[in-house]
Amino acid sequence: EAQVTQNPRYLITVTGKKLTVTCSQNMNHEYMSWYRQDPGLGLRQIYYSMNVEVTDKGDVPEGYKVSRKEKRNFPLILESPSPNQTSLYFCASSHPGGTGYTFGSGTRLTVV
Amino acid sequence: RKEVEQDPGPFNVPEGATVAFNCTYSNSASQSFFWYRQDCRKEPKLLMSVYSSGNEDGRFTAQLNRASQYISLLIRDSKLSDSATYLCVVKAGGTSYGKLTFGQGTILTVHP
């Protein structure tokens, strides 16, 4: 089944404790992206990647890092999480010129 | 001004009603347009692309007015299962990997 898989689905952590949210797709998509969704603000892009070893900032990259060492994986790293990073996170992927994204099921992160 | 603006609603309609959602976008260079559907706490899923000539998929009709930078979605004969948040999405032009920018979403509740 074609899908984007995120882990974990739910995570509660403490301020400053480094964490990684994994994202993997099995559709051989070149383009991958991370979004966060907050009430009243909608979905905002954090980082995106056009292909292996090619990443760039989205609209809200502060406090996040990404890497794209393999085509299928695009982990999101929070080196020192803060409470304002409490949010619902989505990973998505697409073919070049694709008509839309396939989204993962989301990761609900709470930083206390 | 937000790049993509939608009336957040909520829209509360009875089964069988016709309901229309509107969306405006600010970037005149935008290339592609979509409506996504998002159920509570789940990932967004592509509902339909929006073409300049307008397009229909069953009970759903999408329209695009490039001159006015306006997109619409019409749902006829509403079903209970149509209850969701509808996201207006615009894809940037100039690259095959165009970034998707999401509106905040319009909440629809269809009641018996």
Side-chain angles (χ1 to χ4, degrees), chain B residues 19-53:
Chain B
V19 61
F21 305 140
N22 303 319
C23 168
T24 57
Y25 61 95
S26 60
N27 185 352
S28 60
S30 298
Q31 291 291 314
S32 307
F33 310 89
F34 310 95
W35 284 100
Y36 275 71
R37 171 195 168 124
Q38 185 175 25
D39 294 298
C40 188
R41 297 196 180 113
K42 296 202 171 178
E43 73 271 25
K45 292 185 178 177
L46 180 64
L47 178 66
M48 59 195 301
S49 301
V50 187
Y51 303 115
S52 297
S53 55

Side-chain angles (χ1 to χ4, degrees), chain B residues 71-94:
Chain B
I71 306 161
S72 66
L73 177 68
L74 183 77
I75 304 176
R76 291 182 300 278
D77 188 24
S78 299
K79 311 292 185 191
L80 296 176
S81 57
D82 293 335
S83 296
T85 298
Y86 290 83
L87 302 167
C88 176
V89 184
V90 173
K91 185 176 181 180

